């Protein structure tokens, strides 16, 4: 077998159907098809997600192979997200990957989606790229998870802090819904926060011990605040939307970074990185870099294309498993709640 294997990777854990081809850690193609159907429901509808994955998985894989300009017969392993995620959505990707593994007679590699978000930092997409060193500390913030992860090696990770209820991405998405903004709300709030006064309003974020987070109260605090203000001024949201978004966003980002900074000091780690969909947030990116500079850390924030769900990160995680010949059996089943 070649030292730098050609891996086809598939991601279908939520509302993105994605396929990528990697030569080692080099991305030859990374196709992401985002399901638009959920917009009108203000959130992901699991059954509709499964149907949309079913409809797009073949064209997305075909496009990934075509763009990579490789022959599918030269692919040496097929990697797939085994979890965590929506069961029906995961079933589409895993069944497809198993069939390919069987028909091409190549190994199957099962990948933990949250591992893959972290390992997105090892995807090679440009010349002379500087990679994080181990141990590293990662703040993984997505629509389903908020975790502080101690990463000892590509295959050894430990969650040392996480949310006890909603994820940070959910706090963005639910607030956007309350404000009447389209789904997903994170990018909308990020955009509207530009030019807003981030100190104008205050929302509560509870301080918990043991590096834990809680986001469910934040959305409730926004809801009650809006109800009270709208009694005085029915046009309150329209006239203050920028200031509300800026203040709410600042509350989430500061909250995320307080615990992360405590973890950095406690574990004395000098390589820090940001991962997951919320790492596309402009304020979080800026403040994370500032935090790293203050502590003299090597600081890594992902390329925009690798922040939200994509198969290139699944391929990168799979590469490390391939090196250890850590292959999955064809009778492996999707794990909706697979922890790191
Ligand atoms: O990692 P991801 O694509 O999917 C999950 O694994 O959950 O993350 C999606 C989350 C959504 O909650 C979305 O609102 C949030 O990432 N997001 C953002 C931004 N872009 C995406 N949140 C805040 N600011 C953004 N610019
Ligand atoms: Zn994700």
């Amino acid at each position: 077998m070649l030292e730098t294997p050609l891996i086809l990777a598939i991601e279908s854990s939520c509302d993105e159907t994605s396929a990528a081809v990697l030569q080692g850690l080099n991305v030859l193609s990374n196709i992401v098809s985002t399901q638009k159907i959920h917009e009108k429901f203000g959130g992901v509808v699991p059954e509709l997600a499964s149907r949309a994955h079913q409809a797009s998985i073949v064209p997305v894989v075909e496009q990934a192979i075509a763009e990579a300009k490789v022959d599918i017969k030269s692919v040496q392993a097929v990697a797939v997200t085994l979890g965590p995620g929506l069961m029906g959505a995961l079933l589409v990707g895993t069944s497809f990957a198993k069939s390919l593994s069987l028909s091409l007679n190549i190994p199957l590699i099962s990948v933990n989606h949250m591992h893959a978000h972290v390992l997105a930092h090892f995807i090679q997409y440009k010349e002379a790229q500087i990679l994080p060193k181990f141990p590293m500390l990662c703040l993984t913030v997505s629509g389903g998870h908020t975790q502080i992860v101690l990463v000892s090696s590509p295959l050894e990770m430990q969650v040392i802090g996480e949310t006890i209820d909603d994820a940070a991405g959910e706090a963005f998405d639910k607030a956007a819904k309350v404000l009447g903004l389209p789904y997903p709300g994170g990018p909308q709030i990020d955009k509207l926060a530009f030019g807003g006064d981030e100190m104008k309003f205050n929302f509560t974020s509870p301080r918990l011990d043991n590096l834990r987070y809680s986001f469910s109260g934040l959305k409730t605090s926004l809801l009650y605040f809006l109800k009270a203000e709208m009694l005085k001024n029915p046009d309150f949201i329209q006239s203050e939307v920028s200031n509300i978004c800026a203040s709410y966003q600042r509350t989430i980002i500061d909250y995320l970074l307080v615990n992360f900074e405590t973890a950095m000091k406690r574990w004395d780690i000098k390589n820090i990185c940001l991962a997951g969909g919320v790492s596309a947030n402009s304020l979080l990116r800026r403040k994370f870099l500032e935090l790293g500079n203050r502590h003299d850390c090597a600081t890594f924030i992902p390329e925009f294309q690798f922040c939200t769900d994509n198969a290139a990160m699944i391929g990168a995680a799979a590469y490390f498993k391939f090196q250890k010949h850590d292959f999955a059996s064809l009778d492996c089943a999707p794990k909706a709640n697979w922890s790191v």
Side-chain angles (χ1 to χ4, degrees):
M1 242 172 223
L2 291 175
E3 256 178 38
T4 49
L6 195 63
I7 297 178
L8 169 66
I10 294 168
E11 154 66 33
S12 73
S13 64
C14 191
D15 59 344
E16 262 97 21
T17 316
S18 180
V21 177
L22 284 85
Q23 182 96 60
L25 290 165
N26 280 308
V27 183
L28 305 184
S29 65
N30 182 35
I31 309 300
V32 181
S33 162
T34 300
Q35 304 173 356
K36 298 282 172 211
I37 181 102
H38 308 289
E39 277 171 15
K40 61 175 176 253
F41 300 99
V44 178
V45 182
E47 173 62 17
L48 296 181
S50 315
R51 292 186 207 177
H53 283 304
Q54 193 66 41
S56 47
I57 193 144
V58 172
V60 164
V61 169
E62 278 178 350
Q63 201 183 335
I65 294 286
E67 241 175 61
K69 297 191 175 56
V70 295
D71 180 347
I72 192 150
K73 292 198 189 86
S74 57
V75 169
Q76 287 161 275
V78 56
V80 69
T81 306
L82 197 68
L86 302 170
M87 183 49 92
L90 291 166
L91 270 167
V92 177
T94 51
S95 310
F96 189 86
K98 284 181 191 180
S99 317
L100 267 184
S101 153
L102 199 60
S103 59
L104 296 171
N105 195 24
I106 53 174
L108 177 72
I109 302 176
S110 63
V111 171
N112 180 303
H113 182 89
M114 302 313 293
H115 271 199
H117 270 303
V118 174
L119 296 171
H121 286 282
F122 294 86
I123 297 172
Q124 274 170 12
Y125 61 93
K126 64 179 182 194
E127 295 288 314
Q129 194 180 331
I130 299 166
L131 299 177
K133 292 193 173 59
F134 301 103
M136 65 186 209
L137 202 59
C138 186
L139 177 62
T140 314
V141 268
S142 70
H145 295 82
T146 299
Q147 299 177 332
I148 300 175
V149 189
L150 178 61
V151 189
S152 314
S153 78
L155 300 174
E156 287 168 287
M157 302 187 194
Q158 185 194 349
V159 176
I160 58 169
E162 64 187 323
T163 179
I164 58 166
D165 44 49
D166 291 355
E170 252 176 302
F172 274 105
D173 296 338
K174 287 180 175 172
K177 204 168 180 177
V178 168
L179 291 167
L181 304 172
Y183 177 85
Q188 305 290 331
I189 291 183
D190 193 354
K191 218 184 296 164
L192 285 164
F194 271 106
D197 177 357
E198 62 173 35
M199 300 311 285
K200 181 139 189 197
F201 305 116
N202 277 310
F203 302 104
T204 43
S205 51
R207 296 286 182 256
L208 305 176
D209 57 4
N210 289 330
L211 305 174
R212 291 174 308 161
Y213 296 102
S214 167
F215 285 99
S216 61
L218 193 57
K219 168 213 63 189
T220 317
S221 129
L222 172 69
L223 190 65
Y224 287 141
F225 164 76
L226 291 177
K227 276 189 179 158
E229 291 297 330
M230 282 162 72
L231 283 179
K232 294 180 255 168
N233 170 13
D235 294 328
F236 180 74
I237 293 183
Q238 288 87 327
S239 54
E240 290 286 347
V241 72
S242 241
N243 297 330
I244 300 168
C245 288
S247 303
Y248 188 79
Q249 173 173 273
R250 188 254 313 153
T251 310
I252 294 181
I253 304 309
D254 286 351
Y255 185 30
L256 284 171
L257 295 181
V258 164
N259 281 6
F260 190 75
E261 188 169 15
T262 306
M264 283 166 71
K265 289 184 193 155
R266 197 175 289 171
W267 295 83
D268 192 24
I269 303 239
K270 291 293 178 193
N271 271 262
I272 59 167
C273 55
L274 199 56
V278 182
S279 63
N281 182 269
S282 47
L283 184 69
L284 178 56
R285 293 169 83 84
R286 179 162 62 75
K287 288 202 167 178
F288 196 77
L289 286 173
E290 285 168 7
L291 177 71
N293 285 342
R294 262 203 318 280
H295 288 270
D296 221 3
C297 288
T299 309
F300 299 86
I301 51 173
E303 274 282 300
F304 280 109
Q305 57 171 324
F306 304 129
C307 289
T308 44
D309 291 348
N310 66 88
M313 68 182 194
I314 305 301
Y319 170 69
F320 294 108
K321 285 192 144 188
F322 186 97
Q323 285 184 312
K324 301 256 177 229
H325 286 223
D326 183 354
F327 301 132
S329 137
L330 281 178
D331 59 12
C332 65
K335 297 179 186 177
N337 296 313
W338 194 8
S339 61
V340 167

